[in-house]
Amino acid sequence: MRKVVSRDGTTIAYEKTGEGPPIVLLNGGFRDHTIFDPLVPELAPHCTTYVYDRRGRGESGDSPEYAVEREIEDLTAVIEAAGGESVVFAGSSGANLALEAAMAGAPITKLALHEPYFRIDGYPQPPADFLATLKALLAGDKRGEAVEYFLAELVGFTPDTIAEWRQTPLWAMNEANAHTLPYDAAICGDFKVPVQRLAPMRVPSLVVSSDATSDWLSAAARATAEALPNGWGMELPGSWHRVQTDILGRVLAGFAATR
């Protein structure tokens, strides 16, 4: 992988593929850049695609003290490697991070978001001590329990669904990246759509959701699109928290190409 150095000296690893307007892909919780392996081939004929490992994951470095600002600087460093400005596509809690970066003035020309992790009134909220409990589990080296707690209290999985996930090949990555879950929780803040802070933002923003995702994720996507002054929503075929890859690729390629 290629490397770029973020503002605090942390090395961020990324891959560059394809030709055309640049688009940076930003993942959410648990995963590294490989989550986009099925999507990159759909985009590469139309866009120069940049995927990177967020700090603390894969081949990227980390720092002793975490701050959301450091991740904004990481994204900005990758955008600089992409030529100084770029479209950004981000999913899950990564969508929350991309919004924070855009509001902070990162050189994002357009923003495509997939099901950001906000909790709308009328849906169950994470416990008030969610982040503190998550950190305590990790401090006790209870990585598996931390993953289960995140999935149960934030994502809303039932014990049976978590047990099924434990049997999948991805569970090893879940536990390996468990130490970064507080990063994603910190990025989400109070889990409310920051309507007032979004009001001045003028970056063209597309918010997509799956037609088969959770009700709270659909509601969050709609509320985010409504809060963005230059935003609009789109529902696409898919499954839980995932859009059909070929369709998503066409939508993002078209979005990146239009002026």
Side-chain angles (χ1 to χ4, degrees):
M1 296 182 73
R2 305 175 187 225
K3 302 290 175 68
V4 66
V5 179
S6 193
R7 185 174 181 178
D8 72 342
T10 300
T11 300
I12 303 298
Y14 73 94
E15 289 184 348
K16 174 184 176 182
T17 309
E19 296 183 359
I23 182 169
V24 175
L25 309 185
L26 172 60
N27 61 276
F30 294 111
R31 305 292 173 245
D32 58 22
H33 76 281
T34 59
I35 191 67
F36 294 118
D37 283 355
L39 181 58
V40 168
E42 301 289 340
L43 290 173
H46 314 285
C47 303
T48 306
T49 305
Y50 295 79
V51 295
Y52 73 99
D53 288 337
R54 286 173 54 193
R55 62 174 54 212
R57 314 176 197 206
E59 295 187 29
S60 289
D62 205 352
S63 57
E65 297 295 329
Y66 179 79
V68 176
E69 290 79 8
R70 302 294 81 76
E71 287 226 63
I72 293 172
E73 291 164 1
D74 298 345
L75 174 58
T76 299
V78 176
I79 294 173
E80 289 173 354
E85 60 180 22
S86 177
V87 176
V88 171
F89 169 67
S92 196
S93 54
N96 298 56
L97 174 57
L99 280 171
E100 291 295 331
M103 288 188 286
I108 298 171
T109 56
K110 296 180 184 178
L111 196 56
L113 307 171
H114 174 232
E115 297 182 3
Y117 257 47
F118 294 120
R119 287 284 186 166
I120 308 305
D121 290 345
Y123 293 90
Q125 304 296 309
D129 61 349
F130 176 79
L131 182 54
T133 302
L134 188 61
K135 287 182 175 179
L137 289 170
L138 291 167
D141 199 28
K142 299 177 179 179
R143 301 177 77 87
E145 289 183 39
V147 172
E148 290 185 359
Y149 180 74
F150 189 96
L151 292 174
E153 299 297 340
L154 179 55
V155 183
F157 278 5
T158 65
D160 287 345
T161 301
I162 292 172
E164 290 174 5
W165 269 43
R166 271 192 166 275
Q167 304 307 312
T168 68
L170 283 175
W171 191 263
M173 182 182 288
N174 291 350
E175 292 198 5
N177 289 328
H179 62 284
T180 64
L181 293 178
Y183 301 179
D184 291 279
I187 288 163
C188 294
D190 63 4
F191 296 96
K192 298 184 183 300
V193 178
V195 175
Q196 292 185 345
R197 292 198 297 126
L198 288 174
M201 203 176 90
R202 293 296 180 268
V203 178
S205 302
L206 170 65
V207 185
V208 300
S209 61
S210 161
D211 61 2
T213 199
S214 301
D215 289 346
W216 71 269
L217 286 167
S218 291
R222 290 192 299 270
T224 303
E226 290 169 3
L228 287 162
N230 199 10
W232 63 99
M234 181 181 294
E235 188 176 82
L236 298 173
S239 54
W240 179 82
H241 209 31
R242 187 177 297 275
V243 171
Q244 191 172 317
T245 304
D246 58 337
I247 295 175
L248 179 60
R250 290 197 296 270
V251 168
L252 292 178
F255 182 64
T258 56
R259 295 185 178 273

